[in-house]
Amino acid sequence: MFETRPDRDAEVVLVGRSNVGKSTLMRELTGHTFDTGQRPGVTREPNHYDWASEDFVISDLPGFGFMKGVPEDVREQIKTDVVRYVEDNAEKILVGILVVDGKSVIDIIDRHSGEDEIPHDVEMFHFLRDVGVPPVVAVNKMDKVDDRDQRLNDLCDRLGLYPPWKQWQETIAPISAKRGNLGALEAAVRHHLHEAGRDDLFQFF
């Protein structure tokens, strides 16, 4: 599984739970439509979008976490595959975009925070950092959130970043993928591309 990665030296990956809008975001970034479903877990293999003339690929990795109608062992396997993919390609991945649902992310994190449990979103954020992939948290569906600053501050708090969120603009990016409102994400991604000496990739963001 996951053997279809194009041979490219530079990559940006999208990771996140099912149904947070990763595929919509991918479509907005690339102008290319991928199979998306109303049912969670539709994307089981990575969607790669590579530009033939550039040594670069954007990959939308399968959603992880709870998926209605998907057995737990399958869910665990998907998450394992995602983690392994990122580990195997970490040296080539310039940015890991962790997509979360701005409306529900705090509730989901709090519901899954316990002595023996680390919420998937928090775990993935720290995992990206641990393998040397700069994470950018794309906080999607922010057009549906009233207490915007409070919500983003709370998210920073859950991720172990000191609020206020505005001091983390290279890491926390409020967006609305459906409305094409991606400015904060594009700025954050460009920050990390610049750090990696890849200003030539700005044309894609």
Side-chain angles (χ1 to χ4, degrees):
M1 198 175 169
F2 283 30
E3 298 300 317
T4 57
R5 182 185 185 277
D7 184 18
R8 298 287 186 270
D9 277 340
E11 182 171 13
V12 169
V13 297
L14 275 64
V15 296
R17 290 177 175 277
S18 296
N19 276 16
V20 293
K22 286 200 316 302
S23 299
T24 304
L25 176 56
M26 185 77 165
R27 188 176 66 232
E28 286 295 323
L29 286 173
T30 63
H32 187 76
T33 303
F34 295 87
D35 288 338
T36 62
Q38 294 305 308
R39 288 180 305 115
V42 167
T43 311
R44 295 278 178 92
E45 295 274 331
N47 277 319
H48 300 290
Y49 191 67
D50 59 320
W51 288 264
S53 62
E54 298 287 337
D55 189 21
F56 176 59
V57 60
I58 294 185
S59 301
D60 174 19
L61 301 184
F64 51 77
F66 177 74
M67 291 173 257
K68 199 172 180 180
V70 179
E72 187 173 350
D73 59 329
V74 175
R75 297 200 305 259
E76 283 302 313
Q77 186 59 50
I78 290 171
K79 189 172 159 220
T80 300
D81 287 340
V82 168
V83 165
R84 192 170 296 141
Y85 180 94
V86 173
E87 278 181 331
D88 289 350
N89 298 294
E91 286 182 12
K92 298 179 176 181
I93 299 175
L94 303 178
V95 184
I97 300 174
L98 171 60
V99 188
V100 301
D101 182 332
K103 277 193 338 225
S104 60
V105 64
I106 303 299
D107 292 341
I108 290 172
I109 287 176
D110 289 352
R111 197 181 316 142
H112 292 280
S113 295
E115 281 182 24
D116 327 321
E117 197 176 13
I118 300 174
H120 286 326
D121 300 295
V122 175
E123 185 180 24
M124 186 59 68
F125 178 77
H126 291 290
F127 164 69
L128 288 168
R129 282 183 147 186
D130 288 347
V131 296
V133 173
V136 172
V137 185
V139 192
N140 197 16
K141 309 184 187 179
M142 286 304 287
D143 52 308
K144 299 179 180 173
V145 173
D146 298 328
D147 51 345
R148 179 186 166 97
D149 285 338
Q150 184 60 51
R151 185 69 53 94
L152 295 169
N153 287 343
D154 288 346
L155 180 58
C156 280
D157 182 58
R158 304 303 192 273
L159 294 174
L161 306 172
Y162 291 106
W165 75 273
K166 286 189 174 166
Q167 64 184 342
W168 301 102
Q169 291 191 43
E170 75 285 1
T171 304
I172 303 289
I175 64 167
S176 171
K178 254 194 178 146
R179 297 192 170 190
N181 179 359
L182 306 182
L185 175 63
E186 290 166 346
V189 170
R190 284 180 170 208
H191 168 87
H192 295 293
L193 294 177
H194 179 69
E195 296 280 294
R198 294 303 303 263
D199 290 15
D200 57 305
L201 299 177
F202 281 11
Q203 59 186 302
F204 302 120
F205 294 96

